[in-house]
Amino acid sequence: MPMIPYPFDYYQPATVGEAVALFVDLDARGKQPLYFSGGTEIITLGRINEVYTEAVIDVKRIPDCREIGRRSGAFVWGAALTLSEIHDARLFPLLGETGAGVADRTSRNKITLGGNVCGRFIYKEAVLPLLLTDSPLRIAGPGGERTAPIGQLFDRTLRLGRGELLVQAMTDVRYAAFPYVTDKRRKGSAIDYPLLTVAAIRAEEGIRLAFSGVCAFPFRSTEMELILNRREVPAEERIATAIARLPAPILNDIKGSALYREYVLKVTLGETLERLEKGVAIG
Amino acid sequence: MKAEHVVQLELHVNGERRTAVARPADLLLDVLRESFGLTGAKPGCRNGDCGACTVLVDDRPMKSCLMLAVESAGQAVTTIEGLQDEAAQRAFVEQFAFQCGYCTPGFIMNIVALSRLEPQADEGTIQDWMQSNICRCTSYEEIGKAIHVVLGKR
């Protein structure tokens, strides 16, 4: 019995345009194509029949999807870079370290930035730094290319049109100098499934925070940030008020009850604020 | 299975050019084991969790249950059968770093990669890398000793 119970065709385009054209063609032929970057989610969900496709389009050989470096004052992250490659490049530690919260090191040699951002799993740690920095995303699709800040494109999931491909993310290099905290909490030990992740930076206007594993989707909430940045109010009170403004109910599953998650979130937020507020004058 | 879904793959495994007829949907793990008879990479969870199927792909550790065989074309694949008297192999024997032995090839492949790519690895890096592999007999104490021997820390 093969591990993936259905067959599919495999394509390896050399350019973004070729990949999109392939998708359009395969889609028109009813092949239900999927872009394949690290492919770990397609493989593991395909094994249990939760993903079906008759054609995968591997984007790992497309130079644009593999670009990493600085260009015009921004870090460029190709969507097919693995999380290990981004971590080891040490260009932007907030992204490298937060992405290192995904799965384990060997798996991160396969899991890509694009796969983590676009995938179905709700634990998308790598998206948090992009939300905190409102990094522009370059997207290609049948209608051409577009670039827009992630804040306009990510609402619970990345809002892609049919046949659209995430090609790159760009992050302003000045964010690399900002103080940051990235904190992934697990229930049992260092080796365990995630409970929640809080990532935060201290920007000019105040602390920005993004969350994964708190609700059923990763998010950044400017409403919560406004509350948490009122430094004239005691931290405990700010945290309680902010948690009351979460954008959705707290997750309640086998990995942790909603009550337990709320407690862990309170503790993590308290420590995050303490670390980032240290030495900062109250405005 | 439709013929159109079977392809001839040419892979570079343990320094040799090997060919296999397989579906693009077939995993590297299954092609290594079933087409080439290289059963050192073990099917454990088949979900990317346990690390028993770890091989090297262009010198990086990779869980072969998370990789299509067709993806590895053009890259150098190394399985435990491709190692010859590596320090990690000797250390596992000397430190009795196994019980049932099922996880051992995966651990050794990961340690070989660690020692080649991060020879000065600190404790944090060692832990980060080794969290990729699970030993259900819980030989972690002895495995830890073997790793430190390989990295010259003991």
Side-chain angles (χ1 to χ4, degrees):
Chain A
M1 173 78 175
M3 189 169 145
I4 297 176
Y6 51 83
F8 55 68
D9 292 321
Y10 175 85
Y11 297 88
Q12 206 170 50
T15 65
V16 170
E18 202 180 305
V20 172
L22 261 172
F23 189 101
V24 170
D25 177 54
L26 293 163
D27 197 31
R29 291 196 277 136
K31 298 282 189 182
Q32 302 178 56
L34 291 173
Y35 291 118
F36 183 105
S37 188
T40 57
E41 193 171 300
I42 293 172
I43 290 171
T44 53
L45 293 182
R47 182 174 69 89
I48 52 175
N49 277 310
E50 288 194 9
V51 161
Y52 180 78
T53 178
E54 293 175 17
V56 299
I57 302 166
D58 189 341
V59 299
K60 284 193 293 292
R61 302 284 169 95
I62 298 174
D64 290 28
C65 295
R66 295 281 305 151
E67 186 175 349
I68 184 166
R70 295 167 196 239
R71 190 162 20 95
S72 308
F75 296 119
V76 179
W77 317 109
L81 292 170
T82 67
L83 297 181
S84 290
E85 287 171 328
I86 290 172
H87 175 268
D88 293 352
R90 302 191 191 285
L91 290 171
F92 183 34
L94 173 61
L95 180 59
E97 291 172 23
T98 310
V102 175
D104 58 68
R105 169 75 196 199
T106 305
S107 298
R108 292 193 299 274
N109 290 342
K110 192 74 170 26
I111 297 170
T112 61
L113 177 66
N116 190 242
V117 171
C118 301
R120 218 191 263 184
F121 291 133
I122 63 166
Y123 297 100
K124 298 177 189 295
E125 282 84 352
V127 83
L128 304 184
L130 303 181
L131 290 172
L132 290 174
T133 55
D134 205 13
S135 295
L137 303 183
R138 179 183 158 201
I139 289 166
E145 287 210 11
R146 61 188 172 122
T147 299
I150 191 171
Q152 295 174 18
L153 300 167
F154 194 93
D155 180 14
R156 302 189 176 205
T157 61
L158 187 61
R159 303 293 173 171
L160 293 175
R162 187 150 194 87
E164 284 193 321
L165 168 69
L166 173 61
V167 180
Q168 292 175 339
M170 282 81 72
T171 305
D172 193 320
V173 294
R174 71 193 173 94
Y175 284 112
F178 287 18
Y180 68 93
V181 167
T182 180
D183 197 346
K184 179 169 187 168
R185 295 294 172 108
R186 294 170 172 88
K187 191 174 176 182
S189 62
I191 309 169
D192 204 351
Y193 285 103
L195 192 67
L196 59 86
T197 301
V198 175
I201 56 167
R202 195 179 70 205
E204 293 94 343
E205 80 285 359
I207 296 170
R208 303 180 189 178
L209 302 106
F211 306 85
S212 172
V214 176
C215 303
F217 49 86
F219 66 92
R220 176 186 167 199
S221 162
T222 46
E223 186 187 5
M224 288 174 67
E225 285 172 6
L226 281 173
I227 295 164
L228 290 166
N229 277 297
R230 285 184 199 138
R231 297 190 61 197
E232 68 281 9
V233 178
E236 204 173 310
E237 197 181 319
R238 281 183 271 158
I239 290 167
T241 310
I243 288 177
R245 298 286 200 284
L246 283 168
I250 297 178
L251 276 176
N252 185 30
D253 58 25
I254 193 153
K255 295 185 186 78
S257 68
L259 269 178
Y260 180 61
R261 273 197 164 87
E262 184 176 339
Y263 169 74
V264 175
L265 177 61
K266 276 182 187 166
V267 171
T268 312
L269 272 176
E271 292 175 9
T272 300
L273 292 181
E274 193 183 335
R275 287 163 69 183
L276 287 179
E277 285 175 352
K278 242 180 222 170
V280 182
I282 298 172
Chain B
M1 189 189 304
K2 288 185 203 169
E4 67 188 276
H5 290 297
V6 177
V7 292
Q8 179 161 311
L9 298 177
E10 185 176 295
L11 306 182
H12 290 81
V13 183
N14 297 336
E16 294 179 4
R17 190 171 293 179
R18 307 285 298 262
T19 56
V21 175
R23 304 177 315 155
D26 285 338
L27 301 180
L28 179 59
L29 170 66
D30 294 324
V31 170
L32 289 172
R33 291 177 61 84
E34 291 165 23
S35 298
F36 303 147
L38 297 169
T39 56
K42 302 297 183 196
C45 64
R46 286 184 170 270
N47 196 50
D49 295 325
C50 75
C53 66
T54 303
V55 299
L56 305 186
V57 177
D58 280 351
D59 293 328
R60 280 188 177 273
M62 201 65 75
K63 293 180 179 181
S64 58
C65 76
L66 289 182
M67 187 170 203
L68 304 175
V70 68
E71 284 185 88
S72 69
Q75 296 175 289
V77 177
T78 308
T79 69
I80 189 89
E81 291 90 343
L83 301 185
Q84 291 184 347
D85 197 26
E86 281 278 341
Q89 292 172 298
R90 290 196 303 275
F92 262 62
V93 172
E94 289 160 6
Q95 300 298 323
F96 298 99
F98 48 84
Q99 290 186 52
C100 81
Y102 199 79
C103 69
T104 305
F107 266 103
I108 287 180
M109 297 313 290
N110 202 8
I111 294 164
V112 166
L114 177 68
S115 66
R116 289 177 183 173
L117 300 175
E118 299 269 3
Q120 307 300 323
D122 58 20
E123 287 302 319
T125 303
I126 294 170
Q127 281 219 0
D128 185 35
W129 279 56
M130 288 302 127
Q131 283 172 9
S132 308
N133 296 72
I134 292 171
C135 170
R136 279 302 175 225
C137 307
T138 66
S139 290
Y140 295 114
E141 181 78 20
E142 293 80 5
I143 291 169
K145 286 179 185 168
I147 294 166
H148 286 87
V149 167
V150 172
L151 294 177
K153 290 179 182 286
R154 194 170 283 201

